[in-house]
Amino acid sequence: LPSRVSSSTYIENAVLLIPFLSISIVNGIYNRVGVFVLQYFGSVSEAGLYIGAAKFVLPCVFILFAFSNSLTQTFSSDKLPLFNWKFALLCISPAFFIYICLNFIVPIIFTNFFFGKYDGSISILRILSLYVLIVFSYGLFSSYLIVNGHQKKILKVNICSLIMIVFLSLYLVPRFSALGLAYAFISVEICIALFYFITIAKMGLKPTLFFIFPSLYALVYCAVSIYPS
């Protein structure tokens, strides 16, 4: 009897892990598929420029994870979180600081310490740095959904995001090369942020509109920067 109970428990725990594992797998493909498209339609050097810029942006997500973990405990309590303007300011302020550093300090590092190796990545970096603003604005929404058992919703979002990044990459990369992949990535992230905002609003948590300002800023920035092209 004890062995049966332990086996049953093991199977139940394994089943519970399937959504998390699926999210990780889809998210991993999502983060890499665009580079494959870039290598196919562009060149290895263009892919290198994109990866060079991404190396300075994507690690910032670990700061988000640490920040989110410090607030996740409040999501598991009976009291509903207040996604008001103060909370939005708390989330977006560190993202804005990182964004400023990526746009003004990192390019200086590129120019003076890497002897021109990453100079071609600067324009790509300026677009990808918008990711920090966007992901900080919806990251805690995602954490709230996970803590409250909405993993299937997140998995659906990840699958839709994967499909979108493939189609946008196929359209934009042949036209704008590595910069096109950056535009595609940010466009999908804007859609993700808006989806999470609407989802949280439908749950009756009344998130402030401050949470969508980073996405609107990113949309305008990309539109202005791509227009001359």
Side-chain angles (χ1 to χ4, degrees):
L1 181 62
S3 60
R4 291 182 180 179
V5 173
S6 60
S7 299
S8 176
T9 303
Y10 176 81
I11 293 173
E12 289 177 1
N13 291 337
V15 171
L16 290 174
L17 288 175
I18 290 176
F20 294 99
L21 181 61
S22 301
I23 290 171
S24 299
I25 292 173
V26 175
N27 193 49
I29 298 173
Y30 167 75
N31 287 325
R32 291 169 176 80
V33 67
V35 176
F36 293 138
V37 175
L38 179 58
Q39 289 176 331
Y40 182 82
F41 286 101
S43 63
V44 176
S45 60
E46 287 289 337
L49 291 176
Y50 182 88
I51 294 171
K55 282 181 180 179
F56 286 85
V57 176
L58 296 182
C60 297
V61 178
F62 292 106
I63 300 176
L64 169 66
F65 290 155
F67 183 72
S68 297
N69 288 336
S70 65
L71 297 175
T72 300
Q73 292 181 353
T74 62
F75 295 158
S76 59
S77 63
D78 295 333
K79 185 178 180 181
L80 294 176
L82 295 174
F83 292 118
N84 53 26
W85 68 270
K86 293 181 180 179
F87 199 78
L89 190 64
L90 177 65
C91 296
I92 298 172
S93 294
F96 185 75
F97 174 76
I98 295 172
Y99 174 75
I100 294 297
C101 291
L102 289 172
N103 274 271
F104 294 98
I105 297 178
V106 174
I108 295 175
I109 296 174
F110 278 177
T111 302
N112 295 294
F113 293 94
F114 290 97
F115 307 103
K117 180 181 178 181
Y118 290 109
D119 284 356
S121 297
I122 293 177
S123 59
I124 303 169
L125 174 70
R126 296 191 188 283
I127 300 299
L128 287 181
S129 63
L130 295 167
Y131 170 66
V132 176
L133 293 177
I134 299 170
V135 77
F136 267 65
S137 70
Y138 76 72
L140 289 173
F141 293 160
S142 176
S143 297
Y144 178 81
L145 293 175
I146 289 176
V147 169
N148 287 276
H150 297 284
Q151 291 85 4
K152 289 183 179 180
K153 286 185 178 180
I154 295 177
L155 179 58
K156 290 178 181 178
V157 172
N158 285 9
I159 293 173
C160 291
S161 301
L162 176 58
I163 296 171
M164 288 177 64
I165 193 69
V166 170
F167 280 101
L168 284 175
S169 298
L170 290 173
Y171 178 77
L172 292 172
V173 167
R175 289 164 174 78
F176 304 104
S177 194
L179 202 56
L181 178 55
Y183 287 133
F185 181 70
I186 295 302
S187 298
V188 176
E189 288 296 319
I190 291 172
C191 293
I192 293 172
L194 294 178
F195 172 83
Y196 279 131
F197 181 85
I198 294 171
T199 300
I200 292 295
K202 286 183 176 180
M203 295 174 70
L205 296 177
K206 299 179 180 180
T208 176
L209 291 175
F210 279 107
F211 279 107
I212 66 172
F213 281 175
S215 297
L216 295 178
Y217 170 75
L219 181 63
V220 172
Y221 187 96
C222 288
V224 171
S225 62
I226 201 174
Y227 179 75
S229 302

